[in-house]
Amino acid sequence: MGQYNFDEIIDRRGTSCLKHDFGMERKGRDDLLPMWVADMDFRLPEEVIWDIQERVSHGIFGYTDPKQDYRDALRGWFKRRHGVEIMDEWNIITPGVVYAIATAVRALTSEGDSVLIQQPVYYPFREEIELNNRKVVNNRLLYKNGRYEIDFDDFERKVREEHVKLFILCSPHNPVGRVWSRDELKRMADICRENDVYVFADEIHADFVYEGFRHTSYLELGDEYRERLIIGTSPSKTFNIAGLQIVNILIPNKRVRDACRKENRAAGYSQCSAIGLTATISAYTKGDRWLDELIPYLEGNVNFVRAFLRENLPKVHLVEPEGTYLVWLDFSEVTQDPAVLKRLIVDKARLWLDSGRIFGGETALFERINIACPRAVVEQAFEQLYEAMSKQG
Ligand SMILES: Cc1ncc(COP(=O)(O)O)c(C=O)c1O
């Protein structure tokens, strides 16, 4: 019996919660079970809530900057959880990882330059490239025997032929759930190094890795791979504090760091969220046990999904997640028509998932489901899907 109760169903409605409170605005209805945007339906550990409450009771929330206690907390977390040494001076703060990606795109590339991504991938990668008038180059992941792999030949060819300036890596990968091996990372890193490509390694999901797998931080590849590197990390996914708007961006090279700092300033961003800072320090110093219990719970949710599909819906294929709490489901054996799939998921099963369409053009027959919620909710979702598919015949 663990110390934390992840089975508790907490009503999030009425908190302006993006996941639960915006059905009418975003879907034109409010009867869908929301399992879309990547946040969790779990409360922070009490120890962290107390620290936030104490900070709130002070009553003054003026301009705030990180001090040594934040840097110590960050360094401690990366050392304990990932075996990685980080230097205090590497860190810059932004309100979000996506914000930092946009910053890097503007700071390190020029209009019209090529930026490489690996679709299907978290859709803001593409958006930030396009919104900043850069060219998206896609090294599509290969879907082989139900698992995703990197097409290294295509990666290298595109880097060279398209004169790629920046690669935005998703590690672990949202939505396909891969935790890239050291060998895979190194092969990509070598190509980037040989061709002077900057790398933005988005490691926001690094703390969610399942049994049998290990997240390799890009930092582990060695000093020679740090010259053109930006790492995006954040307590926002790990501890569900995206609404507190604080992330840790790590940039080992001073020239790259200065370029990103300047771009941040040009956008008018300077200080971080006071409550976000308190929450981050607290979570990174007191949150280990909570996370150690949460990961097996999430793994239990994945196990439920696997068993349920095998037994009841064998035509829906689970792409085995090695990490992240986002589960990628392949419906291509159920239908070849994205419109039929949409009707099935939304109108019949009454589920609010993220359609595979948004992660890149060729995955319209996939759906991404967020399983970071109490087991009973996951069970409910799959019962609704089962019922809808039974009716469908
Ligand atoms: C890969 C990835 N990067 C970034 C983000 C969002 O980061 P932020 O809210 O800090 O911009 C997400 C959220 O789902 C994500 O999956």
Side-chain angles (χ1 to χ4, degrees):
M1 187 63 188
Q3 183 176 330
Y4 302 98
N5 177 13
F6 298 109
D7 282 327
E8 185 187 358
I9 296 180
I10 300 167
D11 190 357
R12 295 181 64 188
R13 287 170 306 170
T15 61
S16 296
C17 155
L18 186 61
K19 194 181 198 173
H20 292 258
D21 277 333
F22 286 83
M24 285 314 289
E25 286 90 336
R26 290 187 167 234
K27 303 296 273 187
R29 52 198 288 176
D30 59 8
D31 62 338
L32 304 179
L33 186 60
M35 302 181 79
W36 61 291
V37 67
D39 74 11
M40 308 195 278
D41 292 334
F42 306 121
R43 267 164 71 85
L44 274 165
E46 288 303 323
E47 310 73 305
V48 178
I49 296 174
W50 290 330
D51 284 345
I52 295 172
Q53 275 168 348
E54 193 179 61
R55 178 66 187 87
V56 168
S57 69
H58 183 257
I60 300 177
F61 311 103
Y63 293 117
T64 305
D65 247 354
K67 284 189 74 88
Q68 194 57 38
D69 53 353
Y70 163 74
R71 289 186 271 273
D72 291 345
L74 189 64
R75 202 163 9 81
W77 182 262
F78 280 85
K79 179 87 188 130
R80 283 198 310 286
R81 307 295 308 192
H82 301 291
V84 173
E85 293 283 358
I86 60 173
M87 299 293 149
D88 287 349
E89 65 271 19
W90 291 357
N91 180 234
I92 70 169
I93 284 190
T94 70
V97 170
V98 173
Y99 185 101
I101 289 172
T103 299
V105 166
R106 285 195 298 271
L108 306 173
T109 70
S110 304
E111 291 211 0
D113 279 351
S114 295
V115 182
L116 188 107
I117 57 175
Q118 296 175 305
Q119 288 182 326
V121 75
Y122 181 56
Y123 52 91
F125 287 13
R126 177 184 55 75
E127 289 174 349
E128 292 310 323
I129 299 167
E130 289 177 349
L131 288 167
N132 285 294
N133 302 318
R134 273 65 168 172
K135 182 180 172 194
V136 175
V137 174
N138 181 24
N139 166 233
R140 173 157 287 284
L141 295 176
L142 300 172
Y143 185 48
K144 275 193 195 160
N145 305 320
R147 183 170 186 267
Y148 280 87
E149 289 173 15
I150 295 162
D151 183 343
F152 291 101
D153 291 339
D154 180 72
F155 187 99
E156 180 155 20
R157 191 174 345 105
K158 290 205 168 128
V159 162
R160 288 186 200 283
E161 287 176 6
E162 302 278 352
H163 306 289
V164 166
K165 293 283 185 323
L166 171 68
F167 166 39
I168 309 175
L169 164 72
C170 199
S171 173
H173 190 95
N174 165 15
V176 311
R178 280 295 319 279
V179 174
W180 305 117
S181 70
R182 189 187 172 90
D183 185 50
E184 285 170 314
L185 289 172
K186 188 156 177 318
R187 283 181 74 178
M188 292 188 286
D190 280 331
I191 296 168
C192 289
R193 213 160 75 88
E194 279 158 25
N195 293 280
D196 293 336
V197 175
Y198 290 100
V199 177
F200 190 111
D202 180 341
E203 299 188 0
I204 197 169
H205 294 279
D207 289 318
F208 298 100
V209 171
Y210 297 132
E211 177 108 29
F213 298 93
R214 181 181 176 275
H215 167 70
T216 305
S217 171
Y218 208 94
L219 286 170
E220 288 177 58
L221 299 181
D223 286 350
E224 63 274 35
Y225 296 94
R226 295 177 179 179
E227 296 286 292
R228 290 169 177 262
L229 175 64
I230 301 165
I231 309 250
T233 75
S234 177
S236 60
K237 284 280 161 276
T238 310
F239 291 98
N240 211 28
I241 55 171
L244 297 182
Q245 305 251 302
I246 186 167
V247 305
N248 342 286
I249 306 301
L250 306 174
I251 312 178
N253 180 278
K254 184 168 180 324
R255 182 185 58 83
V256 179
R257 197 162 60 236
D258 287 347
C260 289
R261 278 221 174 99
K262 184 170 172 214
E263 194 55 53
N264 251 355
R265 283 214 314 279
Y269 180 76
S270 51
Q271 270 78 34
C272 68
S273 146
I275 302 297
L277 186 64
T278 300
T280 302
I281 296 168
S282 180
Y284 277 168
T285 47
K286 301 178 182 173
D288 289 79
R289 180 152 181 198
W290 181 84
L291 185 62
D292 289 340
E293 286 188 26
L294 174 62
I295 292 168
Y297 187 87
L298 296 174
E299 215 157 1
N301 283 357
V302 175
N303 293 342
F304 166 80
V305 173
R306 184 187 306 107
F308 188 94
L309 293 179
R310 198 172 284 156
E311 203 169 306
N312 304 294
L313 297 171
K315 287 185 176 171
V316 181
H317 298 287
L318 167 74
V319 176
E320 281 292 337
E322 299 170 355
T324 87
Y325 54 71
L326 304 162
V327 170
W328 191 232
L329 298 176
D330 174 359
F331 283 82
S332 59
E333 216 188 301
V334 175
T335 175
Q336 283 293 307
D337 183 347
V340 171
L341 179 59
K342 184 173 175 215
R343 273 200 300 280
L344 171 69
I345 299 296
V346 180
D347 298 328
K348 296 185 180 158
R350 286 172 295 104
L351 295 173
W352 185 354
L353 311 183
D354 270 334
S355 160
R357 193 177 27 85
I358 65 178
F359 298 91
E362 293 165 43
T363 43
L365 299 175
F366 288 74
E367 296 282 334
R368 191 192 77 174
I369 183 164
N370 173 353
I371 51 93
C373 53
R375 181 89 26 91
V377 177
V378 180
E379 288 169 3
Q380 174 72 32
F382 281 86
E383 283 300 335
Q384 288 180 204
L385 183 62
Y386 176 71
E387 224 175 275
M389 288 181 66
S390 310
K391 274 191 213 141
Q392 186 168 257

